[in-house]
Amino acid sequence: MIWLIGALVVMAGLAWGFRFAGQAATGNAPKFRDMPYGVAYGYVLGAAVLLWLIWAYMQGRSDDLAIANKFFFLRIAIEGFIIFAIAAWLFRILGRTVGTAWSKKMFRSMPLTAAFGILTILIYAILAIFAGVFAPYGQEQIIPGVAANIVPGGDPALGGNPDFPLGTDQIGRDIMSRLIYGAQNTVGIAFATTLLAFLLGGSFGFLAATLGGWLDQLLSRIVDVLMAIPSLIFALLLMTIASVWAPQLGIPLTVFMVVIIAVIDSTRVYRLARAVGQNIVVMDYIEAAKLRGEGLGYLVFKEILPNATAPLLAEFGLRFCFVFLTIAALSFLGVGIQPPLADWGTMVRDLGGFVNYAQFAPLAATAPLLAAGAIALLTVAVNFVVDWMLQKSSGLKE
Amino acid sequence: MSESPLVKIRGIKLEGRSDEKWNPIINGIDLTLARGEVLGLIGESGAGKSTLGLAAMGYTRDGVRISDGTVEFDGIDLLKASAAVKRGLLGKRIAYVAQSAAASFNPAHKLMDQHVEGPVQHGVMSRSESEADAIELYRKLRLPNPEEIGFRYPHQVSGGQLQRAMTAMAMSCRPDLIIFDEPTTALDVTTQIEVLASIRDIVEQFNTAAIYITHDLAVVAQMADRIKVLLKGDEVETADTRTMLSAPTQDYTKSLWAVRSFERPNKPAVQTGSVPVISVQNVDAAYGKVPVLYDVSFDMHSGRTVAVVGESGSGKSTTARCITGLLPPTAGQILLDGEVLPPDYRKRSKDQLRQVQMIYQMADTALNPRMSIGQIIARPVQFYLGLTGAEKRRKVDALLEQIELEPSEYYNRLPSELSGGQKQRIGIARALAAEPKFIICDEVTSALDQLVAEGILRLLARLQDELSLSYMFITHDLATVKAIADEVVVMKDGRVVEQGGKVEMFKPPHHAYTDLLLSSVPEMDPDWLTNLLAQRGVDNIGDAAVDKM
């Protein structure tokens, strides 16, 4: 505690010194002259954090295994961050030099975060579509003669096996293959669910905005009721019911899951589509079209929808993340995608116990974190892209 | 003039960022303002008036930078001054009055709380002193109930009062310089007068220097000692107001002056017994339970223009909504060629809908931003006339030629790639595409610069002669009425106050309200406001005069 206060006080002094030195060195340039004290303090604080990170990274690379293990995950995070940043940067340079004039222009104005997001989504998409080509083993394949719980990393000294770079799970299936197939299952199902949610929510939302009156009231109140129930618990409840019905009706449980999550999420889409639609419906060009005698279909698809694409597309990205996390959560709780299909949520649950080894055998603890990391990475990537699209469509400056 | 000028701007250049480039907005302008002098800055939109006005405060909007030149205020170089020095000047010695007071006041705080912020912050006065001073200023600006009005919220006072409250706020620290950025543009003519009169008085009383930015020549003629004309970031000329008005030297200035002289020849009176294209008969209308129209009746004949005049809230646009069927009247009926139209547009036949078309005030919101010009015009052609393929294209090309735009160049453009005047022309083409008999023009020129507006008026006049269209021209601008109308209908509070031929309407004797409207339109004579005030008395202008009706 005393150390913390001491450090803060020292930094306060450093901040003042930094600003003073800057003023003296640059001959009172506006940048330093008008710098508020808080900003100067921020610079010093940022520098301190950066120094600590460098120190921690060096600790992570230490020869003493005990110390290195302590900083193992931080080391991986820093290395991953730098590798991804460089990859995104290279990807953006590629985009600026190759392609049509339109795509080149798009890449020129793209922030690095968006380039990272697009690159990551592309990699996921390719892996998911060509899972059968990339995965060395089948997702359900229990390889004969191979031990269960091989540690990721492929270093025999630490309990790994070079044939299984990401290790094997509790019954001896290759984790890398399951991760790749998991992309297909989890991401594919999430995509289908989001599409369905948008189809439902979007059509009803625009309909309510255009027609108004009692239809709007009726739809909106139904949506209010659905939104009043906590979504995850509601989904769990319905999935439990569905898991009884599914075998009786002979319909796969996955179909039920897609419909249930789509309906629950379509309420959010409905709210957005209705709000955006209402802003567009009051425009004079809609009035002109109405006075021309245009039908409902023309109004919605030709006049309203093209003007609502930007916010809807941004919402699609966000909604995709939520749906994706809901599926992973349901699978984690055991009512989502059913084994033996590979799914990231299930993988985290199955291997979750290994997290306890994090302190002394960080590589072993990595096993459940791989699937969790895959989820996190995709979510972050999609959000970066959505942020960028929102900024573009709203015309905000940086 | 031995003392140094208050503001000295030399060779200032400003650039704005768009499409990842810095584009020039102002290309090197000099500006000198003596203490207590009022300088009028005029020009079309995009001429850089506001940008220059803000630069005089050493301030630029986001995405704008000063690339060259100097700005000196009372010997202080504002471009080199530190943020602390500027903070001490802005609000205290330099104040700003924005175009829309309604958008500039914080709706969550009372007027007084916002008024005292400046003086207290700058340490000029204590809170109680400042409140007493505010009441004094409100009185000087002739606001009603000066003791009490400061304790209202912005939405509780009218637009004209709000604009004066904002002027009072700018005056609160007794600044040396106030920048007025189009302070009366959003106001009705009758309200505009009282704001102009109050601003002029108070600026004179405190000997404050001012930069008055506007696009309205007649307004600037009342306010300014000197006028500077800007065109696309360059100065056209600067001269004393009287010299500028009587003897402008540049062609551009002369063309600005000449706009106001456009007037169509008078048409012979309508033959008795001819069936009007549209006849509004004893129409009452209401929004929900609130009645807005009372017993409105007038006729519109083929090939003629009826101008409907009145202030905002007088029911002009509501009448138009009744005619189009968007707002079914609660009583009375609308006749098209002598046949009763169904009150609701949804019940009208395609042909009835085709005959009545509309052109909107804001071309920005009237054209779908995601459709190309070709698509926008082609839709009614296909919808009403059933043309497709090459025939449709030929018709659209013909329409584009009719509105004086080159078809091959504009067919594939989006509305965002057009200027305001061009967008308004597309709106006209879309209405014409239906081959209607009757077009409602709802304030079609009020959002446009004077030269562009004149072009639109000439186009509408030509089209009327060629196609013998009938126009209902909704406007609050009497210069437009003089230019284009054949008959005039004056509305106030949902009632028709007076109607008749244009010639009779502009000749006395008038109905008292018509007289008030007519006499409130600023004229190019710099003594006009002074004379009008002398004639009417300071307490009998604006809202006060309207209320006495």
Side-chain angles (χ1 to χ4, degrees), chain B residues 158-172:
Chain B
S158 73
Q161 291 168 0
L162 213 51
Q163 200 59 264
R164 278 181 283 169
M166 186 134 131
T167 308
M169 198 157 105
M171 275 293 175
S172 61

Side-chain angles (χ1 to χ4, degrees), chain A residues 30 33-34 105 108-109 211 280 282-295 298-299 302-311 393 397, chain B residues 17 19-20 62-63 80-84 321 324-326 345 350 353 357-358 360-362 364-371 376 379-380 383-384 430:
Chain A
R33 183 194 61 197
D34 294 337
K105 187 169 186 245
R108 254 202 307 282
S109 65
L211 294 178
I280 299 171
V282 295
M283 289 291 183
D284 288 339
Y285 55 85
I286 302 291
E287 189 181 298
K290 277 186 185 169
L291 285 179
R292 204 185 300 141
E294 299 283 6
Y298 179 88
L299 281 179
K302 289 288 170 71
E303 300 276 358
I304 299 179
L305 191 61
N307 288 292
T309 35
S393 69
K397 290 190 191 79
Chain B
R17 193 166 175 81
D19 294 336
E20 295 153 51
D62 272 352
K80 296 216 174 75
S82 73
R321 288 174 70 84
T324 56
L326 281 169
Y345 74 92
K350 209 169 176 178
L353 286 171
Q357 290 294 315
M358 197 152 170
Y360 294 85
Q361 172 175 13
M362 305 300 294
D364 286 321
T365 60
L367 304 178
N368 188 335
R370 302 275 163 170
M371 281 193 185
I376 289 171
R379 181 62 196 175
F383 186 79
Y384 289 124
R430 181 175 61 186

Side-chain angles (χ1 to χ4, degrees), chain B residues 197-223:
Chain B
S198 330
I199 290 180
R200 200 176 64 167
D201 274 8
I202 201 151
V203 166
E204 258 169 35
Q205 272 184 27
F206 293 112
N207 197 28
T208 314
I211 295 180
Y212 196 99
I213 301 165
T214 180
H215 66 270
D216 191 332
L217 300 161
V219 166
V220 85
Q222 311 310 316
M223 306 301 288

Side-chain angles (χ1 to χ4, degrees), chain B residues 114-130:
Chain B
Q114 301 186 51
H115 182 104
V116 298
E117 234 171 36
V120 172
Q121 183 74 36
H122 287 292
V124 179
M125 290 179 227
S126 73
R127 192 183 159 101
S128 52
E129 281 170 346
S130 175

Side-chain angles (χ1 to χ4, degrees), chain B residues 317-340:
Chain B
S317 294
T318 310
T319 312
R321 288 174 70 84
C322 287
I323 296 173
T324 56
L326 281 169
L327 181 74
T330 49
Q333 54 189 6
I334 315 278
L335 271 61
L336 172 72
D337 282 333
E339 281 173 48
V340 177

Side-chain angles (χ1 to χ4, degrees), chain A residues 104-299:
Chain A
K104 276 184 194 168
K105 187 169 186 245
M106 190 180 76
F107 272 102
R108 254 202 307 282
S109 65
M110 188 186 288
L112 205 55
T113 51
F116 160 77
I118 289 175
L119 178 66
T120 311
I121 292 169
L122 269 181
I123 293 173
Y124 272 71
I126 291 168
L127 280 181
I129 293 167
F130 301 106
V133 181
F134 288 108
Y137 302 96
Q139 56 178 322
E140 311 157 18
Q141 191 181 354
I142 301 167
I143 306 137
V146 170
N149 295 330
I150 293 176
V151 173
D155 182 355
L158 297 171
N161 179 342
D163 292 339
F164 302 98
L166 297 183
T168 55
D169 69 1
Q170 76 283 7
I171 49 172
R173 293 174 295 194
D174 180 36
I175 291 184
M176 187 160 83
S177 304
R178 283 180 66 75
L179 270 182
I180 293 171
Y181 276 106
Q184 196 174 44
N185 294 332
T186 320
V187 179
I189 291 172
F191 190 72
T193 311
T194 319
L195 266 186
L196 187 62
F198 267 74
L199 212 64
L200 282 174
S203 346
F204 282 120
F206 285 142
L207 213 60
T210 319
L211 294 178
W214 63 266
L215 182 81
D216 181 21
Q217 286 297 324
L218 183 76
L219 286 172
S220 297
R221 294 301 82 78
I222 293 174
V223 163
D224 283 351
V225 169
L226 284 180
M227 285 181 91
I229 309 167
S231 62
L232 191 61
I233 293 172
F234 194 36
L236 255 178
L237 179 82
L238 293 178
M239 285 302 293
T240 318
I241 300 170
S243 61
V244 178
W245 286 359
Q248 288 172 3
L249 297 171
I251 302 168
L253 187 62
T254 314
V255 175
F256 278 101
M257 184 176 70
V258 167
V259 173
I260 289 169
I261 300 179
V263 168
I264 293 175
D265 270 72
S266 70
T267 55
R268 277 78 175 168
V269 181
Y270 168 88
R271 298 274 288 220
L272 178 82
R274 179 170 168 272
V276 172
Q278 277 180 329
N279 278 338
I280 299 171
V281 161
V282 295
M283 289 291 183
D284 288 339
Y285 55 85
I286 302 291
E287 189 181 298
K290 277 186 185 169
L291 285 179
R292 204 185 300 141
E294 299 283 6
L296 191 63
Y298 179 88
L299 281 179

